[in-house]
Amino acid sequence: MTRATPLWLLVLLQGGISAASLVVEIVAGRMLAPHVGMSLYTWTSVIAVVLAGFSAGHWWGGRLAERPAASALAWTGGALLAGAVTTAGAVLILPAVAGPVLAALQDPVSGITALTMAAFFLPSFFAGVPAPVLAQIAVTTASRSGPALGAMFASGAVGAIAGTLLAGFFFISWLGSAATLLVVTIVYVLSGLLFFWLARSRGLPIALIAGAAAAGLGGLALAAPDPCDVESRYFCIRVDDLSANPERPVHLMVIDHLAHGISARDLPEVQFTEHAAMLAELSERRAPRPNFTSYHIGGGTYSVPRAFAAGEAGEITVAEIDPAVTEFAEREFWFDPGSATILHEDARRALLTRPERHYDVIIGDAFTDVVVPVHLVTQEFFQLAADRLNPGGSYLMNVIDYEDRLYALSSIVATMQTVFPVVEVWTHLTQPAPGARMVFVVVGGDSPTAVGDFSVPAPDLMRFGALADGMVAQLAEARGQVLTDDYAPIDRLIGRPD
C-alpha cells in the first residue's frame, strides 16, 4: 500500500523532474562544443536525441503506469536513480568516446548524432519515465480528473521553461557544465528516493546505496579534467602555451573545439595564422589612408586589432559578443583594451544601431569550421557593411572551404558580387592536397587591390595571391547561390567532402 500522495506533491515532482531534464538538454550542447563545436548540426542532434529519449521513456512509463501504484512508484524511483547515474556518467563518457566516435564517423552529422546518443540518450530516457506514472496517479486519486491532468501537463511545461532559463542564464556560466549536471544528479536522486518512500518499498535501503553511488559518480565527474579554462555564457575557452622559449611566450586560444588564434607577446605585428596574416596585410594595403579606421567582427585573441594598434593605425572598434573572450585576450594574449573601442554585442546589430559610424575597413572573422553565424554571410548583411564604409573603403572576411567543393566560397562570392563592384578572393599560393581544407579571404570594395600577390610572415614567410578574375567569376556562376536572411544554408555548403 502506498502513502497518500497529494496532488501538489505530484505537481511539484513533475515540474522538478521536467526542469532537471531540460537543464541536461541545454548542458548537452555546451558539453559537446569542445568536441564538435556549437553549430546547427549540434543543436539539431541534441534536440532530436533528447526528444527520442523522452519519447521512449514516456512509452515505458506508460507501461509502468498500468501496474499497481506501489509497484509503479518503485520502478519509477529506480528509473530516476538510473537517470542520476547516467547523467553524472555523461561527464565521463563524453570525452572517453568522442575521439573514437568522431574518428570512425567522418561525416559531421553522423559523428555529432552518434556522440550525442552515446552520452545523452539514456539520461533523457530515464527522465521521461515519471510523467505517465505521475499523471496516472493524479487522475485516479484526485476528486476531479480533468483539472488534475491539466495541472500535471502545465507543471511539466512550466518546469521545462524554468530548466531552460536556469541552465542558459545562470547554471552554466555560474557553475559550469559538470557542476550543473551534479545538481541535476542530486535532484534525480532525491526524487527517486521519494518515489521509493511513497511506495513503501522494501528496496529503499538499496535505493539509498544507489543514490549514494550516483552522487559519488557525480563528484568524480566534477573532479575530472575540465576542457575549459573559462566557461562563459557563449563559449568554452582555454589557452595552450606554444612557447619554445618561456621568456618569449606564444599562446594559442581554443574556443569550443577549434584553434581560434595565436599571438606572441613580443611580436604584436606578426600574425600566426594564414587568415589573420591576409586580413591584416590586405587591410593595410587597401586602406584609403595610413591612419585608417577599422571595425572588427569578432575579437578572439584580438591579434589583428593588436597589430593595428602597434602599427599606429586609426581608431579601432571591435564587436565581440562575449565579454569573457575580451577578458581572456587581455589576460593571456597581451591585448590592451584601451587601444580599441570594445562593443560586447552582436556585430550586425552594432553596425545597424550606429548609422552615424563609418569605417575605412570592416573585417569579418566569422568562419570557424562548420560553425558560421548565418546572419553575417547574407546579402542583407553585406549591404549593411557596404553602407557603413567610408568612400574607398573595403570589406574583408575569411572563408574556410574544401578544395574539391568550394560551395561556401562560391556562394559568398556570388552574394558579395550583388553588393560590391569588385570582389576578390585571396589565398596561400601553394598547391593544396586533394580535398584539403583551404583558407581564403574574400574582399569587397570599389576598386581592385594594387598588387596581385604579397609575402608576409605568418610566422614563417608565406606568399599570398588573388585568384584570377576569370576563376572568381567561374566559381560564382558554376557553384554559387545568393545567400539571404531568408535562405542561407551555409552549414550544408561548408560541410566536409562527400
Side-chain angles (χ1 to χ4, degrees):
M1 181 178 180
T2 63
R3 289 179 169 84
T5 310
L7 181 61
W8 67 264
L9 181 56
L10 297 173
V11 169
L12 183 63
L13 281 168
Q14 175 64 21
I17 295 167
S18 181
S21 65
L22 264 293
V23 168
V24 174
E25 180 176 2
I26 300 302
V27 172
R30 169 52 59 85
M31 289 180 60
L32 286 164
H35 306 284
V36 296
M38 190 74 76
S39 67
L40 177 65
Y41 297 152
T42 308
W43 280 115
T44 300
S45 296
V46 168
I47 293 170
V49 167
V50 169
L51 288 178
F54 288 164
S55 299
H58 292 337
W59 174 84
W60 190 41
R63 301 293 296 267
L64 294 178
E66 293 182 330
R67 294 170 174 263
S71 176
L73 286 171
W75 274 93
T76 304
L80 278 177
L81 292 177
V85 170
T86 53
T87 297
V91 180
L92 303 174
I93 291 171
L94 188 59
V97 303
V101 168
L102 296 177
L105 301 171
Q106 294 294 322
D107 175 66
V109 175
S110 302
I112 293 171
T113 303
L115 196 57
T116 308
M117 283 285 293
F120 297 105
F121 177 80
L122 285 179
S124 302
F125 170 76
F126 291 120
V129 172
V133 174
L134 292 173
Q136 173 72 3
I137 294 173
V139 168
T140 56
T141 58
S143 57
R144 299 177 61 196
S145 60
L149 188 60
M152 296 301 294
F153 275 98
S155 176
V158 170
I161 294 170
T164 302
L165 295 177
L166 287 171
F169 293 157
F170 299 104
F171 284 164
I172 293 175
S173 59
W174 285 30
L175 301 178
S177 299
T180 298
L181 288 191
L182 179 59
V183 171
V184 173
T185 297
I186 293 172
V187 170
Y188 285 163
V189 167
L190 295 177
S191 300
L193 294 177
L194 181 57
F195 275 108
F196 274 94
W197 181 80
L198 290 172
R200 297 180 182 270
S201 173
R202 295 179 180 178
L204 183 57
I206 299 176
L208 287 169
I209 295 173
L217 186 61
L220 184 62
L222 191 61
D226 192 339
C228 314
D229 292 334
V230 173
E231 193 167 4
S232 73
R233 294 180 179 178
Y234 295 95
F235 305 114
C236 167
I237 313 167
R238 78 170 193 267
V239 61
D240 290 341
D241 191 345
L242 305 181
S243 309
N245 181 355
E247 296 183 358
R248 304 189 66 183
V250 179
H251 289 174
L252 163 70
M253 178 184 283
V254 179
I255 294 183
D256 290 337
H257 73 310
L258 292 172
H260 199 78
I262 303 172
S263 285
R265 185 193 65 187
D266 302 326
L267 299 171
E269 294 187 74
V270 174
Q271 304 302 320
F272 283 72
T273 59
E274 293 181 29
H275 79 278
M278 284 189 283
L279 289 172
E281 184 69 16
L282 284 168
S283 296
E284 294 185 10
R285 288 181 177 271
R286 293 186 59 86
R289 51 191 171 131
N291 60 334
F292 63 93
T293 58
S294 58
Y295 179 86
H296 302 255
I297 298 172
T301 59
Y302 282 78
S303 297
V304 176
R306 183 169 171 248
F308 286 0
E312 299 182 352
E315 182 181 356
I316 301 167
T317 303
V318 183
E320 168 54 61
I321 197 169
D322 191 349
V325 170
T326 302
E327 295 170 5
F328 204 69
E330 180 182 356
R331 185 173 70 250
E332 300 289 348
F333 293 87
W334 311 284
F335 171 67
D336 176 11
S339 65
T341 300
I342 311 299
L343 307 176
H344 288 131
E345 56 185 288
D346 177 77
R348 179 166 171 171
R349 176 168 175 77
L351 282 177
L352 184 65
T353 57
R354 295 168 175 82
E356 75 285 356
R357 300 294 302 274
H358 291 76
Y359 309 92
D360 295 321
V361 175
I362 296 177
I363 299 174
D365 187 2
F367 264 67
T368 52
D369 198 44
V370 296
V371 185
V372 182
V374 176
H375 66 302
L376 299 181
V377 294
T378 65
Q379 184 182 49
E380 292 85 349
F381 172 71
F382 293 144
Q383 185 61 61
L384 173 63
D387 293 341
R388 296 295 184 267
L389 288 172
N390 288 323
S394 300
Y395 174 76
L396 305 90
M397 70 174 294
N398 77 307
V399 177
I400 298 172
D401 209 340
Y402 291 88
E403 176 270 343
D404 54 350
R405 289 174 60 90
L406 301 181
Y407 295 129
L409 174 67
S410 302
S411 296
I412 286 172
V413 168
T415 305
M416 288 181 63
Q417 285 178 338
T418 67
V419 174
F420 296 99
V422 174
V423 176
E424 299 175 343
V425 178
W426 290 74
T427 191
H428 183 203
L429 291 180
T430 185
Q431 181 65 41
R437 192 176 80 157
M438 297 182 65
V439 177
F440 303 90
V441 166
V442 184
V443 178
D446 295 330
S447 60
T449 306
V451 298
D453 63 85
F454 57 81
S455 296
V456 291
D460 297 326
L461 194 65
M462 298 182 71
R463 185 164 170 251
F464 301 97
L467 301 186
D469 292 342
M471 184 175 182
V472 174
Q474 184 180 4
L475 279 173
E477 293 172 4
R479 303 186 182 185
Q481 56 182 294
V482 175
L483 308 175
T484 67
D485 285 348
D486 178 62
Y487 182 68
I490 194 66
D491 299 272
R492 173 172 56 82
L493 294 174
I494 201 176
R496 296 185 186 278
D498 298 330

